[in-house]
mmCIF file of all heavy atoms in Angstrom:
data_model
loop_
_atom_site.group_PDB
_atom_site.id
_atom_site.type_symbol
_atom_site.label_atom_id
_atom_site.label_comp_id
_atom_site.label_asym_id
_atom_site.label_seq_id
_atom_site.Cartn_x
_atom_site.Cartn_y
_atom_site.Cartn_z
ATOM 1 N N GLY A 419 -10.189 29.391 -21.380
ATOM 2 C CA GLY A 419 -9.827 28.648 -22.598
ATOM 3 C C GLY A 419 -8.391 28.153 -22.628
ATOM 4 O O GLY A 419 -7.932 27.643 -23.648
ATOM 5 N N LYS A 420 -7.672 28.317 -21.504
ATOM 6 C CA LYS A 420 -6.246 27.933 -21.501
ATOM 7 C C LYS A 420 -5.960 26.830 -20.491
ATOM 8 O O LYS A 420 -6.770 26.559 -19.606
ATOM 9 C CB LYS A 420 -5.393 29.147 -21.111
ATOM 10 C CG LYS A 420 -5.470 30.300 -22.073
ATOM 11 C CD LYS A 420 -4.609 31.441 -21.541
ATOM 12 C CE LYS A 420 -4.842 32.705 -22.356
ATOM 13 N NZ LYS A 420 -4.300 33.888 -21.702
ATOM 14 N N GLN A 421 -4.763 26.257 -20.619
ATOM 15 C CA GLN A 421 -4.304 25.305 -19.605
ATOM 16 C C GLN A 421 -3.854 26.102 -18.386
ATOM 17 O O GLN A 421 -3.374 27.223 -18.525
ATOM 18 C CB GLN A 421 -3.113 24.510 -20.142
ATOM 19 C CG GLN A 421 -3.516 23.495 -21.191
ATOM 20 C CD GLN A 421 -2.322 22.666 -21.646
ATOM 21 O OE1 GLN A 421 -1.238 23.173 -21.813
ATOM 22 N NE2 GLN A 421 -2.556 21.384 -21.848
ATOM 23 N N PRO A 422 -4.003 25.517 -17.196
ATOM 24 C CA PRO A 422 -3.562 26.252 -16.005
ATOM 25 C C PRO A 422 -2.057 26.491 -16.034
ATOM 26 O O PRO A 422 -1.300 25.605 -16.424
ATOM 27 C CB PRO A 422 -3.947 25.321 -14.853
ATOM 28 C CG PRO A 422 -4.149 23.989 -15.449
ATOM 29 C CD PRO A 422 -4.546 24.197 -16.878
ATOM 30 N N GLY A 423 -1.650 27.683 -15.623
ATOM 31 C CA GLY A 423 -0.227 28.010 -15.632
ATOM 32 C C GLY A 423 0.349 28.035 -14.243
ATOM 33 O O GLY A 423 1.431 28.563 -14.025
ATOM 34 N N TRP A 424 -0.404 27.502 -13.286
ATOM 35 C CA TRP A 424 0.067 27.515 -11.907
ATOM 36 C C TRP A 424 0.407 26.103 -11.465
ATOM 37 O O TRP A 424 -0.096 25.126 -12.017
ATOM 38 C CB TRP A 424 -0.993 28.112 -10.976
ATOM 39 C CG TRP A 424 -2.285 27.359 -10.946
ATOM 40 C CD1 TRP A 424 -2.624 26.335 -10.113
ATOM 41 C CD2 TRP A 424 -3.430 27.555 -11.793
ATOM 42 N NE1 TRP A 424 -3.894 25.897 -10.383
ATOM 43 C CE2 TRP A 424 -4.410 26.619 -11.403
ATOM 44 C CE3 TRP A 424 -3.719 28.436 -12.848
ATOM 45 C CZ2 TRP A 424 -5.655 26.550 -12.028
ATOM 46 C CZ3 TRP A 424 -4.953 28.355 -13.478
ATOM 47 C CH2 TRP A 424 -5.909 27.425 -13.059
ATOM 48 N N GLU A 425 1.247 26.014 -10.463
ATOM 49 C CA GLU A 425 1.640 24.706 -9.926
ATOM 50 C C GLU A 425 0.605 24.251 -8.931
ATOM 51 O O GLU A 425 0.072 25.046 -8.172
ATOM 52 C CB GLU A 425 2.980 24.829 -9.213
ATOM 53 C CG GLU A 425 4.114 24.993 -10.184
ATOM 54 C CD GLU A 425 5.308 24.138 -9.816
ATOM 55 O OE1 GLU A 425 5.241 23.429 -8.791
ATOM 56 O OE2 GLU A 425 6.288 24.198 -10.561
ATOM 57 N N MET A 426 0.314 22.944 -8.935
ATOM 58 C CA MET A 426 -0.686 22.465 -8.006
ATOM 59 C C MET A 426 -0.211 21.209 -7.321
ATOM 60 O O MET A 426 -0.370 20.113 -7.850
ATOM 61 C CB MET A 426 -1.992 22.211 -8.754
ATOM 62 C CG MET A 426 -3.149 22.331 -7.828
ATOM 63 S SD MET A 426 -4.656 22.350 -8.725
ATOM 64 C CE MET A 426 -5.655 21.505 -7.557
ATOM 65 N N ASN A 427 0.431 21.373 -6.199
ATOM 66 C CA ASN A 427 0.927 20.253 -5.390
ATOM 67 C C ASN A 427 1.695 19.222 -6.212
ATOM 68 O O ASN A 427 1.587 18.026 -5.986
ATOM 69 C CB ASN A 427 -0.235 19.535 -4.675
ATOM 70 C CG ASN A 427 -1.024 20.491 -3.826
ATOM 71 O OD1 ASN A 427 -0.469 21.452 -3.302
ATOM 72 N ND2 ASN A 427 -2.311 20.241 -3.687
ATOM 73 N N GLY A 428 2.435 19.704 -7.220
ATOM 74 C CA GLY A 428 3.240 18.805 -8.035
ATOM 75 C C GLY A 428 2.419 17.794 -8.827
ATOM 76 O O GLY A 428 2.949 16.804 -9.301
ATOM 77 N N ASP A 429 1.121 18.050 -8.974
ATOM 78 C CA ASP A 429 0.256 17.117 -9.703
ATOM 79 C C ASP A 429 0.308 17.433 -11.197
ATOM 80 O O ASP A 429 -0.290 18.387 -11.671
ATOM 81 C CB ASP A 429 -1.181 17.246 -9.171
ATOM 82 C CG ASP A 429 -2.111 16.250 -9.842
ATOM 83 O OD1 ASP A 429 -1.655 15.530 -10.739
ATOM 84 O OD2 ASP A 429 -3.293 16.202 -9.454
ATOM 85 N N ASN A 430 1.050 16.603 -11.949
ATOM 86 C CA ASN A 430 1.217 16.876 -13.379
ATOM 87 C C ASN A 430 -0.073 16.673 -14.165
ATOM 88 O O ASN A 430 -0.255 17.227 -15.232
ATOM 89 C CB ASN A 430 2.305 15.978 -13.966
ATOM 90 C CG ASN A 430 3.665 16.388 -13.443
ATOM 91 O OD1 ASN A 430 3.891 17.561 -13.143
ATOM 92 N ND2 ASN A 430 4.556 15.424 -13.303
ATOM 93 N N GLU A 431 -0.978 15.842 -13.613
ATOM 94 C CA GLU A 431 -2.235 15.561 -14.303
ATOM 95 C C GLU A 431 -3.046 16.830 -14.527
ATOM 96 O O GLU A 431 -3.743 16.972 -15.515
ATOM 97 C CB GLU A 431 -3.074 14.584 -13.464
ATOM 98 C CG GLU A 431 -2.582 13.154 -13.494
ATOM 99 C CD GLU A 431 -2.687 12.528 -14.868
ATOM 100 O OE1 GLU A 431 -3.782 12.538 -15.412
ATOM 101 O OE2 GLU A 431 -1.661 12.075 -15.395
ATOM 102 N N ILE A 432 -2.933 17.769 -13.582
ATOM 103 C CA ILE A 432 -3.769 18.960 -13.612
ATOM 104 C C ILE A 432 -3.484 19.809 -14.853
ATOM 105 O O ILE A 432 -4.361 20.466 -15.372
ATOM 106 C CB ILE A 432 -3.578 19.768 -12.304
ATOM 107 C CG1 ILE A 432 -4.821 20.590 -11.989
ATOM 108 C CG2 ILE A 432 -2.387 20.695 -12.330
ATOM 109 C CD1 ILE A 432 -5.860 19.823 -11.289
ATOM 110 N N ILE A 433 -2.218 19.757 -15.341
ATOM 111 C CA ILE A 433 -1.912 20.630 -16.483
ATOM 112 C C ILE A 433 -2.546 20.118 -17.778
ATOM 113 O O ILE A 433 -2.567 20.799 -18.767
ATOM 114 C CB ILE A 433 -0.393 20.846 -16.670
ATOM 115 C CG1 ILE A 433 0.316 19.508 -16.815
ATOM 116 C CG2 ILE A 433 0.201 21.678 -15.558
ATOM 117 C CD1 ILE A 433 1.757 19.647 -17.230
ATOM 118 N N LYS A 434 -3.111 18.906 -17.737
ATOM 119 C CA LYS A 434 -3.819 18.418 -18.921
ATOM 120 C C LYS A 434 -5.231 19.002 -18.983
ATOM 121 O O LYS A 434 -5.925 18.885 -19.975
ATOM 122 C CB LYS A 434 -3.900 16.885 -18.893
ATOM 123 C CG LYS A 434 -2.538 16.220 -19.049
ATOM 124 C CD LYS A 434 -2.676 14.711 -18.973
ATOM 125 C CE LYS A 434 -1.310 14.062 -18.922
ATOM 126 N NZ LYS A 434 -1.347 12.714 -18.367
ATOM 127 N N GLU A 435 -5.664 19.585 -17.883
ATOM 128 C CA GLU A 435 -7.009 20.176 -17.839
ATOM 129 C C GLU A 435 -7.007 21.512 -18.574
ATOM 130 O O GLU A 435 -5.969 22.171 -18.671
ATOM 131 C CB GLU A 435 -7.414 20.423 -16.376
ATOM 132 C CG GLU A 435 -7.564 19.166 -15.558
ATOM 133 C CD GLU A 435 -8.801 18.356 -15.921
ATOM 134 O OE1 GLU A 435 -9.793 18.950 -16.352
ATOM 135 O OE2 GLU A 435 -8.762 17.121 -15.772
ATOM 136 N N ILE A 436 -8.197 21.907 -19.056
ATOM 137 C CA ILE A 436 -8.317 23.221 -19.707
ATOM 138 C C ILE A 436 -9.447 23.989 -19.030
ATOM 139 O O ILE A 436 -10.509 23.430 -18.741
ATOM 140 C CB ILE A 436 -8.601 23.070 -21.220
ATOM 141 C CG1 ILE A 436 -7.398 22.382 -21.884
ATOM 142 C CG2 ILE A 436 -8.832 24.437 -21.880
ATOM 143 C CD1 ILE A 436 -7.595 22.052 -23.343
ATOM 144 N N VAL A 437 -9.173 25.258 -18.752
ATOM 145 C CA VAL A 437 -10.172 26.119 -18.124
ATOM 146 C C VAL A 437 -11.256 26.432 -19.168
ATOM 147 O O VAL A 437 -10.958 26.561 -20.360
ATOM 148 C CB VAL A 437 -9.498 27.419 -17.608
ATOM 149 C CG1 VAL A 437 -10.526 28.389 -17.033
ATOM 150 C CG2 VAL A 437 -8.421 27.089 -16.571
ATOM 151 N N MET A 438 -12.498 26.550 -18.733
ATOM 152 C CA MET A 438 -13.599 26.837 -19.665
ATOM 153 C C MET A 438 -13.357 28.155 -20.410
ATOM 154 O O MET A 438 -12.705 29.052 -19.871
ATOM 155 C CB MET A 438 -14.913 26.977 -18.889
ATOM 156 C CG MET A 438 -15.457 25.679 -18.376
ATOM 157 S SD MET A 438 -16.993 26.004 -17.489
ATOM 158 C CE MET A 438 -16.775 24.908 -16.110
ATOM 159 N N THR A 439 -13.915 28.248 -21.594
ATOM 160 C CA THR A 439 -13.822 29.503 -22.347
ATOM 161 C C THR A 439 -14.919 30.454 -21.836
ATOM 162 O O THR A 439 -15.871 30.006 -21.167
ATOM 163 C CB THR A 439 -14.059 29.263 -23.854
ATOM 164 O OG1 THR A 439 -15.400 28.763 -24.000
ATOM 165 C CG2 THR A 439 -13.080 28.257 -24.425
ATOM 166 N N GLY A 440 -14.809 31.727 -22.209
ATOM 167 C CA GLY A 440 -15.830 32.701 -21.829
ATOM 168 C C GLY A 440 -17.193 32.278 -22.370
ATOM 169 O O GLY A 440 -18.217 32.393 -21.699
ATOM 170 N N GLU A 441 -17.199 31.749 -23.594
ATOM 171 C CA GLU A 441 -18.446 31.327 -24.240
ATOM 172 C C GLU A 441 -19.095 30.175 -23.453
ATOM 173 O O GLU A 441 -20.313 30.171 -23.230
ATOM 174 C CB GLU A 441 -18.111 30.864 -25.664
ATOM 175 C CG GLU A 441 -19.285 30.906 -26.590
ATOM 176 C CD GLU A 441 -18.922 30.437 -27.989
ATOM 177 O OE1 GLU A 441 -17.756 30.050 -28.226
ATOM 178 O OE2 GLU A 441 -19.825 30.449 -28.833
ATOM 179 N N GLN A 442 -18.278 29.231 -23.021
ATOM 180 C CA GLN A 442 -18.811 28.100 -22.239
ATOM 181 C C GLN A 442 -19.386 28.595 -20.915
ATOM 182 O O GLN A 442 -20.437 28.129 -20.466
ATOM 183 C CB GLN A 442 -17.693 27.075 -21.968
ATOM 184 C CG GLN A 442 -17.322 26.243 -23.177
ATOM 185 C CD GLN A 442 -16.110 25.363 -22.920
ATOM 186 O OE1 GLN A 442 -15.125 25.782 -22.328
ATOM 187 N NE2 GLN A 442 -16.163 24.130 -23.382
ATOM 188 N N ILE A 443 -18.706 29.551 -20.308
ATOM 189 C CA ILE A 443 -19.162 30.067 -19.009
ATOM 190 C C ILE A 443 -20.508 30.783 -19.144
ATOM 191 O O ILE A 443 -21.404 30.605 -18.324
ATOM 192 C CB ILE A 443 -18.066 30.969 -18.396
ATOM 193 C CG1 ILE A 443 -16.983 30.051 -17.825
ATOM 194 C CG2 ILE A 443 -18.613 31.921 -17.338
ATOM 195 C CD1 ILE A 443 -15.813 30.719 -17.226
ATOM 196 N N VAL A 444 -20.641 31.566 -20.210
ATOM 197 C CA VAL A 444 -21.890 32.298 -20.429
ATOM 198 C C VAL A 444 -23.065 31.329 -20.615
ATOM 199 O O VAL A 444 -24.185 31.592 -20.191
ATOM 200 C CB VAL A 444 -21.751 33.237 -21.664
ATOM 201 C CG1 VAL A 444 -23.092 33.817 -22.061
ATOM 202 C CG2 VAL A 444 -20.761 34.347 -21.362
ATOM 203 N N LYS A 445 -22.784 30.167 -21.237
ATOM 204 C CA LYS A 445 -23.857 29.204 -21.539
ATOM 205 C C LYS A 445 -24.256 28.333 -20.352
ATOM 206 O O LYS A 445 -25.228 27.580 -20.424
ATOM 207 C CB LYS A 445 -23.413 28.284 -22.683
ATOM 208 C CG LYS A 445 -23.476 28.951 -24.045
ATOM 209 C CD LYS A 445 -23.110 27.948 -25.122
ATOM 210 C CE LYS A 445 -23.084 28.612 -26.483
ATOM 211 N NZ LYS A 445 -22.337 27.802 -27.448
#
Side-chain angles (χ1 to χ4, degrees):
K420 297 178 190 166
Q421 287 183 320
W424 61 90
E425 287 224 359
M426 206 169 146
N427 303 329
D429 183 357
N430 290 330
E431 285 295 305
I432 207 84
I433 56 170
K434 293 178 188 159
E435 295 288 330
I436 296 174
V437 176
M438 287 180 221
T439 63
E441 202 180 2
Q442 285 173 317
I443 283 178
V444 170
K445 284 184 183 162

